[in-house]
Amino acid sequence: VLGYSAASAFPALLICWLGPKVRAMSENAFSTSDFGRQRYGRVMQLSVAAVSVFYMFIFIVAELTSISNIYALLVADFSTKYGIGITISLGAFTVFYTTLAGLPASIVTDRFQGIIMALLVLILTIAVSAFPENKVTREEFALASNWTGDGIMAAVTLFIAIACAELFNQGTWQRVWAAESTTALRNGFLLGSLFVFLLMMFFGIMAMLAYANDPLAYDTFEKFAFLAFFDLLEPLGNGWHIVVLILVTALAASSIDSLQNGLSSIFSSDIINLGLDAKLISRILLVAANIPAVWLATDKYDVISLFLVADLVCATSVFPLFLGLQTEDKFGGLLTAPTEAGAFAGCVAGVITVLINGIVNDAEGGVFDYFWLRNGDICALCGSKTMVSFIITPIISCVATYFFSFIDVKVRGDRARQPIFIIAFDEKDRDGGFDKGEEDDGVSAEDVDAEVAEEVDVEGKLDDAPDVVA
């Protein structure tokens, strides 16, 4: 629980450091795929877009799966038809208001998240304190709160997995560009990190109480660990169940609309540059993405397993993308500023690393199935095989990025520092370039730390943008 709470809060701290640097190096950007295009070129843009779309799509599937499971538990209707109805209703509703109002609507719903969380904490505290069915002895709680080797390995895995994945969450990056200043950005994400940690600790302890109350049911999968919070609410009357359903539905909608906005932002810059109807195309893309998400959610995949697949995919590409913040060679040219070919080769090396892990660990069903991380441990997160996979995948992709960039520059010279290919309207994004020794509009990533309060112009993306809400 401690590891999961800290790991969940960690990405916001990373954004405090990376966010201002990425924003300073990106002109008229809507997502990190735009950063990848402006820093590297089209190949990396498409690579980053593919990873981001995959992660956010899986995130939507997981959210829809979770909310349908919650309704099924509290309403006691586990039929497929009922689950489909819930997922379609929530998916359609969020698509409707997201396509009408966009990012401002998502930021408004974010503001209500805190209120909703406070109400859920209050209701859960009442449920635990007032009903004898939820009370446990000191010995029973000790059984659920042991320090174990599997728990420590799971914590290491979570830190790496969640950090890699959240750096491809374009819903988060939209708030980076929407922040009115670097100071506001950092203050917002720092505060958000603190609240995430505290809330995850609270809900984790509640889940431990639920497990301590009936460990056999969880060990035999009669009850599901990811729904433990709602098992504590069962003694409450139906009226309270309805209130909780309304609150968790609003909470899920707030998360899903951020993801939907993030999806629509990935190609927004190109759509605008092409003179197309951005709102219409965004609606089409959102509907196209949500239809298969709703369908997959009805299959009720294990939520943790879904996230781990997406996290491992993100781990293959996180270093190749953000090493782009280095625009000058270091150590006499030994640490070459990454080139587009080198960064893309780093992404490929990350995927190959996962596949080799699958071969070494004799993956069930073939090497590509290893992305599901079925390692035979007591939980999807547990075990040394999963932990090692998450450690070495980003490391190998990082080393490969530098190695192939070094080779690329030696072979192709200064041409290596340019995009692999350029289309007509790309030129204006690369005025000033990112060649060695050059800076974009006179602003380098290194300058940002020395100018914390400097305001970065985001005019044209969000009129009267409010402070960032993390």
Side-chain angles (χ1 to χ4, degrees):
V1 171
L2 182 63
Y4 192 82
S5 301
S8 298
F10 181 56
L13 299 179
L14 281 179
I15 294 293
C16 288
W17 174 56
L18 286 174
K21 297 174 182 290
V22 172
R23 193 166 77 160
M25 290 178 61
S26 308
E27 182 181 357
N28 297 323
F30 292 87
S31 66
T32 51
S33 62
D34 290 331
F35 168 71
R37 172 172 57 84
Q38 293 179 26
R39 169 58 180 87
Y40 290 117
R42 287 288 170 183
V43 172
M44 277 303 292
Q45 179 202 20
L46 294 175
S47 300
V48 173
V51 173
S52 297
V53 168
F54 180 77
Y55 170 64
M56 290 187 288
F57 175 79
I58 291 295
F59 203 150
I60 291 174
V61 172
E63 288 284 346
L64 292 173
T65 300
S66 296
I67 197 67
S68 65
N69 286 338
I70 291 166
Y71 269 82
L73 177 69
L74 294 183
V75 179
D77 187 344
F78 294 90
S79 66
T80 301
K81 182 178 179 181
Y82 183 74
I84 292 174
I86 295 298
T87 55
I88 289 177
S89 299
L90 184 59
F93 176 64
T94 53
V95 167
F96 172 73
Y97 73 76
T98 298
T99 55
L100 287 179
L103 180 60
S106 181
I107 290 178
V108 169
T109 61
D110 284 351
R111 294 185 183 278
F112 287 104
Q113 276 192 344
I115 299 173
I116 293 169
M117 281 295 187
L119 291 173
L120 285 175
V121 167
L122 177 62
I123 292 171
L124 191 55
T125 302
I126 293 172
V128 170
S129 304
F131 293 92
E133 298 96 319
N134 289 330
K135 293 183 178 179
V136 298
T137 65
R138 186 185 299 272
E139 292 75 19
E140 289 172 333
F141 186 76
L143 179 66
S145 58
N146 287 331
W147 287 88
T148 65
D150 279 323
I152 293 171
M153 285 187 286
V156 173
T157 299
L158 282 166
F159 258 94
I160 301 170
I162 295 176
C164 291
E166 278 301 301
L167 289 177
F168 284 93
N169 187 343
Q170 303 306 329
T172 299
W173 283 101
Q174 280 191 306
R175 282 144 182 80
V176 169
W177 277 288
E180 68 178 13
S181 68
T182 300
T183 302
L185 185 157
R186 286 179 168 159
N187 288 343
F189 277 96
L190 281 171
L191 188 62
S193 178
L194 174 63
F195 281 125
V196 166
F197 177 79
L198 294 176
L199 282 168
M200 294 305 296
M201 280 294 295
F202 174 81
F203 286 112
I205 291 171
M206 293 298 104
M208 290 165 64
L209 288 173
Y211 177 86
N213 197 32
D214 194 2
L216 183 62
Y218 289 102
D219 290 341
T220 59
F221 299 102
E222 180 184 340
K223 294 181 178 180
F224 297 104
F226 63 89
L227 293 175
F229 158 67
F230 298 94
D231 291 329
L232 294 174
L233 299 176
E234 285 195 88
L236 294 174
N238 287 335
W240 285 104
H241 289 174
I242 293 172
V243 172
V244 169
L245 284 175
I246 293 172
L247 292 175
V248 296
T249 301
L251 202 59
S254 179
S255 296
I256 292 171
D257 67 37
S258 294
L259 295 165
Q260 290 170 338
N261 272 304
L263 281 171
S264 65
S265 74
I266 290 175
F267 295 107
S268 293
S269 181
D270 284 337
I271 292 170
I272 292 171
N273 285 338
L274 289 169
L276 302 176
D277 187 335
K279 182 173 287 190
L280 174 62
I281 293 177
S282 294
R283 288 172 179 169
I284 294 172
L285 290 175
L286 284 177
V287 172
N290 276 268
I291 290 174
V294 168
W295 176 68
L296 285 174
T298 61
D299 288 338
K300 297 187 182 299
Y301 288 98
D302 177 68
V303 173
I304 297 296
S305 296
L306 282 174
F307 274 121
L308 282 177
V309 173
D311 294 351
L312 192 55
V313 170
C314 293
T316 66
S317 302
V318 66
F319 273 116
L321 173 61
F322 291 102
L323 285 176
L325 291 170
Q326 178 188 337
T327 60
E328 297 180 351
D329 294 348
K330 306 290 186 182
F331 305 111
L334 291 177
L335 210 59
T336 305
T339 66
E340 184 173 24
F344 180 69
C347 296
V348 174
V351 175
I352 293 173
T353 301
V354 176
L355 300 183
I356 292 174
N357 266 279
I359 295 171
V360 171
N361 294 317
D362 194 21
E364 297 179 17
V367 292
F368 282 99
D369 283 354
Y370 188 72
F371 277 95
W372 285 96
L373 294 170
R374 297 189 183 100
N375 286 319
D377 288 290
I378 61 173
C379 70
L381 286 168
C382 301
S384 59
K385 293 179 181 178
T386 298
M387 180 184 70
V388 169
S389 296
F390 271 103
I391 291 173
I392 67 172
T393 298
I395 289 176
I396 294 297
S397 70
C398 175
V399 172
T401 298
Y402 277 124
F403 174 76
F404 287 110
S405 294
F406 179 82
I407 297 298
D408 191 24
V409 171
K410 290 298 182 184
V411 172
R412 296 198 297 150
D414 288 340
R415 179 68 187 88
R417 302 184 189 277
Q418 298 300 319
I420 293 174
F421 67 88
I422 299 174
I423 57 180
F425 58 78
D426 285 345
E427 292 293 345
K428 63 182 178 182
D429 287 329
R430 299 194 61 84
D431 289 342
F434 283 104
D435 290 356
K436 181 176 69 173
E438 296 182 21
E439 306 291 350
D440 182 51
D441 294 334
V443 182
S444 68
E446 290 78 7
D447 292 335
V448 179
D449 285 330
E451 301 176 17
V452 174
E454 178 186 3
E455 303 216 347
V456 181
D457 185 14
V458 291
E459 182 180 356
K461 285 198 287 293
L462 183 64
D463 293 335
D464 300 321
D467 286 1
V468 65
V469 180

